[in-house]
């Protein structure tokens, strides 16, 4: 039985440390250092739990006192109203956000879709582990923030008060400088493509399943770009600003995650604008050059002041609270600065490619 348990731990370790899709262009593996086998050795064993189909492991809004790794079975992550957000399987973990963030209330509900075997890690053991493994702590925090942003967007897609618009090539969704009245999702099947322009320069394209327009609503700013249908036909799902704000009234965790996503987009747009002015793109080498040039004192990190200068070079009206919020969100190791790995993750990870 001990041998079987160890084999199970090794399988989960292999899954969560698989660098496929989790490796930055510079080769930095974002999951390196996260090991249940090491956890077992450090904390004197792991607690295995079995739950029947239909069992609620925790509910949205509850205080979180443990995280879980799935050994077998499937777990549904649901909204407060029981709507399915996504399904987790063998090797996935969940519940870590309540142990990592200051707000330790559950963001969503976890329900067993099948009989489930999990490894339960209580808060005290979790604290011991991450104090002895800063790399694992940063890995968990990074993955939690990425998944939470994806969950927040998925929850909005589930709302009933979303309309549909059909556009033709050249139609403008909104113009730079407009005040935001709606947010949008590109249809996941036949949505087409949308060109995103800052001034006369194309800085990005939106495709199937992507969302946009949240920043103007959340940060109370004019549109920072112009979005144009670039396919023969484009299909958008539109959520009015009033419905969007009403949805967020009793969902502070969702609102906070979406605000962070919007701040990250503003930062990415600032870097893209700077790179284009320097006749560069967004390759790994381009990002390294952009970081080195932004690092004015050559410390190897970007300070709040250096981040502020980057943002204000694009738009001097960006609020201080949004610059500070961006730094706090991207700064996974919480040292008050953005290092080169964290900088590159903005463009490669966090569940959002805009």
């Amino acid at each position: 039985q001990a041998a079987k348990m160890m084999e199970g731990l090794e399988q989960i370790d292999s899954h969560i440390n698989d660098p496929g899709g989790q490796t930055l262009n510079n080769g930095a593996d974002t999951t390196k250092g996260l090991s249940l086998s090491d956890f077992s050795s450090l904390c004197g064993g792991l607690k295995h739990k079995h739950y029947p189909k239909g069992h609620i492991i925790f509910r949205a809004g509850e205080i979180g006192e443990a995280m879980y790794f799935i050994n077998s079975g499937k777990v549904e992550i649901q909204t407060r109203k029981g709507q399915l957000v996504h399904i987790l399987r063998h090797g996935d973990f969940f519940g870590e956000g309540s142990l990592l963030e200051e707000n330790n209330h559950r963001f969503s509900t976890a329900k067993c879709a099948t009989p489930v075997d999990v490894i339960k890690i209580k808060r005290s053991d979790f604290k011991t582990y991450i104090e002895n493994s800063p790399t694992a702590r940063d890995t968990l925090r990074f993955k939690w923030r990425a998944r939470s942003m994806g969950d927040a967007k998925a929850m909005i897609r589930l709302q009933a008060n979303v309309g549909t618009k059909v556009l033709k090539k050249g139609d403008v969704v909104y113009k730079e400088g407009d005040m935001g009245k709606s947010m949008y999702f590109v249809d996941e099947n036949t949505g087409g493509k949308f060109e995103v322009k800052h001034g006369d320069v194309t800085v990005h394209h939106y495709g199937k399943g992507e969302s946009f327009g949240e920043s103007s609503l959340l940060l109370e700013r004019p549109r920072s770009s112009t979005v144009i249908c670039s396919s023969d036909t484009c299909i958008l799902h539109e959520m009015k600003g009033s419905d969007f704000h009403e949805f967020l009234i009793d969902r502070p965790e969702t609102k906070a995650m979406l605000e962070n996503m919007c701040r990250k987009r503003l930062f990415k747009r600032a870097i893209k604008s700077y790179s284009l002015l320097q006749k560069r793109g967004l390759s790994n080498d381009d990002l390294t050059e952009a970081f080195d040039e932004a690092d004015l004192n050559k410390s190897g990190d970007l300070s709040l002041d250096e981040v502020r200068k980057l943002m204000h070079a694009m738009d001097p009206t960006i609020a201080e609270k949004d610059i500070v919020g961006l730094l706090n969100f991207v700064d996974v190791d919480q040292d008050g600065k953005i290092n080169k790995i964290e900088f590159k993750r903005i463009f490669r990870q966090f569940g959002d490619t805009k």
Side-chain angles (χ1 to χ4, degrees):
Q1 185 177 5
K4 185 176 181 181
M5 183 180 298
M6 184 55 66
E7 181 182 356
L9 294 182
E10 290 172 352
Q11 288 176 350
I12 294 178
D13 282 348
S14 175
H15 180 92
I16 60 179
N17 287 301
D18 177 9
Q22 291 293 335
T23 303
L24 304 180
N25 279 9
N26 65 348
D29 182 1
T30 63
T31 58
K32 186 177 180 181
L34 182 57
S35 168
L36 278 179
S37 303
D38 289 348
F39 190 102
S40 180
S41 299
L42 180 65
C43 299
L46 299 168
K47 188 173 183 179
H48 292 253
K49 299 281 290 184
H50 174 80
Y51 298 117
K53 179 180 178 180
H55 177 80
I56 303 293
I57 299 175
F58 56 73
R59 295 183 185 277
E62 293 180 350
I63 298 293
E65 294 296 342
M67 71 170 291
Y68 305 84
F69 288 82
I70 302 175
N71 201 14
S72 67
K74 298 178 182 178
V75 174
E76 292 183 352
I77 302 301
Q78 302 178 346
T79 68
R80 293 173 184 266
K81 295 181 178 181
Q83 295 169 301
L84 178 64
V85 179
H86 61 260
I87 297 177
L88 302 177
R89 297 172 172 82
H90 167 74
D92 290 329
F93 57 85
F94 60 98
E96 75 280 10
S98 297
L99 308 184
L100 286 165
E101 304 293 339
E102 290 184 7
N103 180 2
N104 61 354
H105 288 80
R106 297 297 191 188
F107 184 67
S108 52
T109 294
K111 181 180 179 181
C112 298
T114 67
V116 171
D117 289 302
V118 299
I119 296 170
K120 180 179 180 180
I121 299 175
K122 60 184 181 180
R123 180 180 293 275
S124 58
D125 288 340
F126 178 83
K127 183 178 180 182
T128 298
Y129 181 50
I130 63 172
E131 285 176 350
N132 284 273
S133 180
T135 303
R137 175 203 63 202
D138 294 347
T139 293
L140 287 164
R141 185 176 288 126
F142 172 76
K143 280 198 163 189
W144 156 247
R145 292 179 180 180
R147 187 166 65 235
S148 295
M149 289 206 329
D151 287 355
K153 291 192 291 182
M155 288 178 184
I156 293 175
R157 286 190 180 94
L158 293 170
Q159 302 311 298
N161 48 352
V162 176
T164 299
K165 300 179 70 172
V166 179
L167 307 176
K168 63 180 184 298
K169 190 170 185 176
D171 285 348
V172 176
V173 182
Y174 54 71
K175 294 183 179 180
E176 186 173 352
D178 289 350
M179 291 307 299
K181 298 180 180 179
S182 300
M183 65 158 294
Y184 304 89
F185 294 99
V186 184
D187 188 83
E188 294 185 359
N189 298 312
T190 56
K193 287 189 176 182
F194 293 82
E195 183 180 15
V196 183
K197 304 187 75 171
H198 184 57
D200 295 326
V201 179
T202 299
V203 295
H204 185 66
H205 288 87
Y206 293 134
K208 297 176 182 178
E210 294 189 285
S211 66
F212 60 92
E214 305 97 327
S215 298
S216 184
L217 300 177
L218 278 168
L219 306 182
E220 299 179 346
R221 296 173 43 79
R223 301 293 194 189
S224 60
S225 58
T226 297
V227 179
I228 306 167
C229 171
S230 57
S231 297
D232 290 337
T233 301
C234 299
I235 299 179
L236 275 181
H237 303 294
E238 178 183 15
M239 188 176 195
K240 299 292 186 182
S242 56
D243 293 328
F244 179 68
H245 287 299
E246 184 177 349
F247 166 76
L248 294 176
I249 285 175
D250 61 348
R251 296 174 175 86
E253 302 94 344
T254 303
K255 182 178 180 182
M257 281 297 167
L258 290 172
E259 286 175 339
N260 284 327
M261 179 186 72
C262 294
R263 290 165 181 150
K264 180 175 70 69
R265 287 182 183 174
L266 284 175
F267 187 68
K268 289 176 68 172
R269 193 166 290 126
I271 298 300
K272 286 183 177 182
S273 297
Y274 177 78
S275 291
L276 289 169
L277 285 173
Q278 302 301 316
K279 309 299 183 183
R280 291 199 299 259
L282 290 174
S283 70
N284 191 64
D285 289 342
D286 293 330
L287 290 175
T288 297
E289 285 190 50
F291 180 92
D292 291 340
E293 290 172 8
D295 180 17
L296 299 176
N297 63 4
K298 306 307 175 186
S299 65
D301 300 288
L302 299 185
S303 65
L304 175 61
D305 186 54
E306 288 167 333
V307 172
R308 183 187 299 111
K309 287 179 179 178
L310 266 176
M311 300 287 279
H312 281 172
M314 178 187 74
D315 185 346
T317 69
I318 295 175
E320 181 71 7
K321 67 179 179 64
D322 292 320
I323 297 171
V324 173
L326 165 78
L327 188 144
N328 290 339
F329 181 66
V330 175
D331 177 25
V332 173
D333 62 10
Q334 296 186 331
D335 63 354
K337 300 168 287 187
I338 298 177
N339 61 44
K340 194 168 291 187
I341 296 299
E342 291 167 338
F343 179 83
K344 291 179 180 179
R345 279 176 176 165
I346 299 172
F347 293 87
R348 310 301 182 204
Q349 301 286 342
F350 276 148
D352 172 47
T353 57
K354 301 174 193 57

